[in-house]
Amino acid sequence: MNAISVLTKIKDLQRLRQILAVLAKYGYGHMIERLGLEGSKVLGTIIPSPTAPKGTNPERIRSAFEELGPTFIKLGQILSTRPDLVPPDYVAEFSKLQDDVSPFPIEEVEDQIRLELGTEIPDAFSRFDPTPVASASLSQVHKAVLKNGRQVAVKVQRPGIKPLIESDIDLMYLLARLATKTIPELNLYSPIKIIREFERTMMKELDFTIEAANSERFRKNFKNNEEINFPAVHSDLSGKRIITMDFINGVKITDAKVLGIDQKTLARLGLRAVMEMVFRDGFFHSDPHPGNVFVMPHPLITYLDLGQVGRVSEDIKNRMLLLLLAITREDFEEVVQILYRIGIKEEDVDTGEFRSDVLDICEKHFGKQLKYIELGAFLKDIFEGAFRHKIRIPYEYALMCKALVTMESVGKTLDPEINIFEESKPYLLEIFKNRYSFENISKDLTKALAYLSTTLQEAPPQIKNILDRLEEGKFKIRVDDAGAVKRALMWEAAINRIILVVLIALLVFSSLMLLIFKSSSALAVFFAVGGFALASFLGLWVILSILRSGS
């Protein structure tokens, strides 16, 4: 099906024409020609008279997104968190996008509350301020008072925003599919994947029940920390398009000085909170910029706007932990190895050149006083270096880095002398110690054994059939290659040795961790010595078997 026949099925042709016209206005007419849309009878003339485009490519596409409105602004904002998908200069430019818009009238607020909650404002609240305290492209926030006198913030979704975004996303999919077919060099940036992930993110943001669930999870994770707070959600006055939470009578974290709060203490507390979210819980606020972090005398820090969060697995947490520890130790060879392991290789990588680039970046950033070392600048250069070598840093790592870098920026505003590496090293070591404690190592070993047991139990029925036929003496093998059986036996022996070597390494590592972190426990020492003894025995057995076989 050609582009024009596809276009005839699109309802909002006027919107599509507007999108293409804006792109052409900012110097992307040649891209429209390559998409095959410049001569469409359905769309009419799109490309204006040629003019010399002003600004760099990233600047022009940012300006185009601003002119195209909320959906494209949100796309740019989300892409600013994705150095794994777009080049660093675009990430920097997209981060400048703002979605401040005029508020919608109180009559539409009343309609939204009536439709979502099935009640009128006077029946649910004793007081409701018709003037919003904040307004953005997706929603606005009103201050209100419950019948019991409690102050709350009511976030109301902008009427009609969901169908508008859904329509724009449909058009984005159309353009992404056409681009994939007609502009091969764009495939490096995976345009369809970008739109798919954008759609998933937006649908989550437009469902306020997800934000409510995130808030409750954060509150549970920090229930024992009296200095960190997340607003309580009033579920009886919340739904998909309305969320009612406690009102926070505070100021932005960067304005803490007006409350007389010690800024150095605040900077370190904020940094530690993000560290705990990322490395302890694996569930973190993905955009802790000053507008989302408020302070009060007590509790000290409150996090707002919890619709966008990051989630990471134990494996990703551990690798990021090891990377940051390697950086704090200035073990740059280890930094190279970890970055190479976590990166997604788009094509063959010259490992020698990649190593040289990473070492140069490390030496550039760490050969100076601690107060001048910035995680943000370091990671920017690392991502640029990886991109040059066609290595993509996975999204989860990029999101963790963004949260840490944002908090570092806030911290330096409060205390210019703060250094994220110096401040985080004791806490990272504490997390590392807990991660490789006797209890956690025991759990990992138990999981590994359980997985092995399950794998053996769930072996394909064909294996059982083969064993039954062997037992009955009915199993026959036809050999066409006289050396095939010998080679099969050699492979079997080699695989068995590899399995034993892996087991030996696991025993040595587990025993070492027990001696390092649990040396005061007699039981731990007993298990550690036993582990070393068993590893030694197995290692000797492997060596003797190799010597006996002569291979």
Side-chain angles (χ1 to χ4, degrees), residues 312-326:
V312 288
S313 65
E314 283 295 324
D315 178 61
I316 291 175
K317 281 197 296 182
N318 292 340
R319 290 193 180 200
M320 190 66 180
L321 177 62
L322 291 173
L323 175 62
L324 289 181
L325 283 172

Side-chain angles (χ1 to χ4, degrees), residues 99-104 109 129-143 153-158 247 252 291-292 294 304-305:
D99 64 350
D100 293 330
V101 296
S102 301
F104 51 93
V109 173
D129 191 343
T131 303
V133 295
S135 178
S137 57
L138 301 186
S139 60
Q140 63 190 36
V141 179
H142 291 261
K143 185 177 181 180
V154 184
K155 183 157 82 168
V156 183
Q157 192 171 114
R158 186 174 289 273
F247 189 85
K252 291 181 181 180
N292 288 336
F294 271 48
L304 306 175
D305 196 7

Side-chain angles (χ1 to χ4, degrees), residues 208-279:
F208 291 172
T209 62
I210 293 176
E211 181 173 352
N214 291 342
S215 181
E216 290 306 309
R217 182 169 175 181
F218 278 122
R219 287 173 64 81
K220 181 180 178 182
N221 290 345
F222 283 84
K223 64 183 179 181
N224 297 322
N225 191 328
E226 295 183 353
E227 295 180 313
I228 304 297
N229 179 50
F230 300 87
V233 175
H234 299 270
S235 56
D236 56 326
L237 294 173
S238 300
K240 286 182 175 293
R241 292 173 292 180
I242 306 287
I243 184 170
T244 303
M245 297 183 287
D246 284 350
F247 189 85
I248 304 302
N249 281 304
V251 299
K252 291 181 181 180
I253 189 169
T254 47
D255 297 329
K257 194 172 183 179
V258 301
L259 297 179
I261 297 172
D262 182 68
Q263 295 190 102
K264 291 186 176 181
T265 301
L266 201 58
R268 284 153 182 79
L269 179 61
L271 180 60
R272 184 178 179 94
V274 173
M275 288 285 181
E276 288 181 350
M277 291 181 203
V278 172
F279 295 108

Side-chain angles (χ1 to χ4, degrees), residues 55 92 373 463:
I373 298 175
I463 295 178

Side-chain angles (χ1 to χ4, degrees), residues 388-406:
R388 282 196 301 273
H389 291 276
K390 302 297 189 293
I391 296 177
R392 288 195 294 111
I393 304 300
Y395 173 52
E396 293 82 2
Y397 294 96
L399 205 57
M400 283 191 288
C401 290
K402 180 177 185 293
L404 292 169
V405 168
T406 302

Side-chain angles (χ1 to χ4, degrees), residues 122 298 301 310 322 338 495 544:
H298 184 79
I301 294 180
L322 291 173
I338 294 172
I495 291 170
L544 290 174

Side-chain angles (χ1 to χ4, degrees), residues 114-182:
R114 188 182 304 114
L115 288 170
E116 188 67 26
L117 304 181
T119 187
E120 300 293 336
I121 286 179
D123 296 331
F125 308 94
S126 63
R127 190 165 70 250
F128 193 97
D129 191 343
T131 303
V133 295
S135 178
S137 57
L138 301 186
S139 60
Q140 63 190 36
V141 179
H142 291 261
K143 185 177 181 180
V145 180
L146 299 180
K147 296 292 186 179
N148 62 10
R150 190 161 187 166
Q151 289 188 336
V152 293
V154 184
K155 183 157 82 168
V156 183
Q157 192 171 114
R158 186 174 289 273
I161 192 66
K162 187 174 182 180
L164 171 64
I165 288 175
E166 289 174 337
S167 175
D168 277 354
I169 288 175
D170 285 341
L171 296 176
M172 288 177 179
Y173 269 123
L174 170 66
L175 296 174
R177 291 189 183 101
L178 288 173
T180 300
K181 293 177 182 178
T182 60

